[in-house]
Amino acid sequence: MKQSLRISCMLAAAASLLAAGAAVTSPTWAKTHEIAMTAVESDVVIDGSGEKYAAWTFNGQMPGPVVRVTEGDTINFTLTNPETNKNPHAMDFHAAEIDFLKNYRAINAGETISYTFVAKKPGIFFYHCGAPPMIQHIARGMFGAIIVDPKEVKALPKADREYVLIQSEYFKNPGDVQAMFDRKFDGMMFNGGIFKYHPFVTGGGKLDTKPGERVRIYFVNAGPNEFSSFHPIGEIWDNVYESGNPANKLTGVQTYVVGPGSAATFDVVVESAGAYPLVTHSLTGALRGAIAVLLASPDAKPAPLMPMVPWKVATPQTEITPVPTQ
Ligand SMILES: [Cu+2]
């Protein structure tokens, strides 16, 4: 290559970097993620009997897929609302700091919307559909979690095991918006299931761990209305991080309240083998489905962030008999 051509290429590259703006200011660790989701109006299984629910979802699952990025990353997000749907849908990421009128607006069936944001603050954040009536779109299943890992890897103690738990209310008639306004919920779910992680309930699973492991729970309260009073029966939260931000650290916490639309990161180190039910100590919620049993055993296997999504029904049955909590 001739010297002049080489210089002009370098100048052109420098000019394009300057034009891009972000390219010259982005930190070297930052990545860009292409995240696409589809609004899917379809049935999901919500308990161990195989009970189906006419949900509205992201990607056909309740909750939607877990998104995981690192602080400083850019997310190019696209939502598609297929022509086969009947309702408008939208996407609101609590991890973003962008204009809601432009980006979180509802799109009709047959339309697509795209927007970009930088995940500037680390933590665990809620995402949800914001199409009106939002109370119904969330109650019917259009919610999920985005984890923004701190760019400083030692900002949090190393976790041996991680889970995402999302609490939400179940209304058996998905068309009864008035019941949602009146807070007349029929069940309380973790990760879209009633007693989903309760091994004494037929079809129920569990959350595995080994004694001595640091278990990190990324906890989101999708609501739409009820507060969660998150407590580990038989244990104490080693640390709680409000919104999952390492700067918001609490120590030795028995119970921590997470309001609708909020989230926190909970660390527990289970001292010995046994069962440790994670519950909302607002007991009307726990006894109607929001119990997840953390089972500590030396031979515990590795597990995904969100086990059993979609719900795998082990043995179809007709009745669920919850075991009372203490
Ligand atoms: Cu929606």
Side-chain angles (χ1 to χ4, degrees):
M1 186 187 285
K2 285 184 181 171
Q3 187 69 13
S4 59
L5 183 56
R6 187 180 297 135
I7 289 170
S8 70
C9 284
M10 287 166 64
L11 286 173
S16 69
L17 278 173
L18 286 169
V24 291
T25 56
S26 289
T28 50
W29 67 80
K31 294 194 182 78
T32 298
H33 306 265
E34 306 295 329
I35 309 269
M37 290 196 206
T38 303
V40 179
E41 299 171 355
S42 67
D43 289 357
V44 296
V45 172
I46 54 98
D47 71 20
S49 74
E51 179 78 20
K52 289 200 174 136
Y53 180 67
W56 298 339
T57 70
F58 292 111
N59 287 15
Q61 65 178 67
M62 177 173 74
V66 176
V67 178
R68 189 162 202 174
V69 301
T70 299
E71 178 186 358
D73 285 358
T74 297
I75 291 95
N76 294 327
F77 177 73
T78 299
L79 175 68
T80 300
N81 190 359
E83 279 182 6
T84 46
N85 280 349
K86 294 186 172 62
N87 301 277
H89 295 293
M91 174 61 97
D92 174 338
F93 276 104
H94 284 200
E97 296 170 272
I98 51 175
D99 173 31
F100 105 94
L101 278 177
K102 178 179 162 204
N103 300 292
Y104 298 167
R105 66 186 170 80
I107 54 167
N108 293 317
E111 293 179 345
T112 293
I113 187 170
S114 296
Y115 58 82
T116 296
F117 67 95
V118 177
K120 294 177 186 165
K121 295 185 172 70
I124 171 72
F125 296 92
F126 186 37
Y127 73 69
H128 62 92
C129 176
M134 187 162 73
I135 197 169
Q136 184 186 28
H137 283 252
I138 292 174
R140 287 184 78 148
M142 300 194 80
F143 56 79
I146 172 169
I147 299 168
V148 182
D149 286 317
K151 64 178 185 284
E152 170 52 59
V153 290
K154 292 185 176 167
L156 294 173
K158 185 181 176 303
D160 300 300
R161 202 174 279 264
E162 297 182 314
Y163 292 112
V164 171
L165 267 189
I166 305 181
Q167 178 175 319
S168 68
E169 292 125 54
Y170 165 67
F171 298 87
K172 63 185 174 190
N173 179 354
D176 189 352
V177 177
Q178 190 59 48
M180 296 165 190
F181 274 93
D182 293 342
R183 310 177 88 144
K184 291 182 176 168
F185 62 91
D186 298 292
M188 193 65 83
M189 302 190 287
F190 280 154
N191 290 352
I194 294 170
F195 296 115
K196 185 170 189 169
Y197 303 117
H198 198 315
F200 301 155
V201 171
T202 303
K206 58 190 165 36
L207 300 178
D208 291 304
T209 190
K210 291 179 180 173
E213 285 188 329
R214 175 171 291 267
V215 182
R216 180 157 296 150
I217 310 282
Y218 297 98
F219 185 85
V220 174
N221 185 357
N225 302 311
E226 304 304 322
F227 285 68
S228 181
S229 195
F230 198 43
H231 169 70
I233 296 177
E235 262 298 345
I236 295 170
W237 299 118
D238 219 45
N239 299 114
V240 178
Y241 302 88
E242 170 60 47
S243 285
N245 191 315
N248 305 332
K249 180 180 175 181
L250 299 173
T251 301
V253 180
Q254 60 193 297
T255 301
Y256 187 78
V257 175
V258 180
S262 195
T265 296
F266 293 78
D267 279 10
V268 64
V269 180
V270 171
E271 310 254 328
S272 51
Y276 302 87
L278 312 179
V279 303
T280 171
H281 224 296
S282 173
L283 292 174
T284 183
L287 297 175
R288 284 196 263 184
I291 298 176
V293 178
L294 185 64
L295 210 60
S297 150
D299 57 357
K301 305 255 183 330
L305 268 180
M306 195 183 279
M308 300 162 62
V309 171
W311 185 297
K312 305 261 194 320
V313 180
T315 313
Q317 62 155 29
T318 54
E319 188 181 351
I320 284 186
T321 309
V323 177
T325 184
Q326 57 184 257

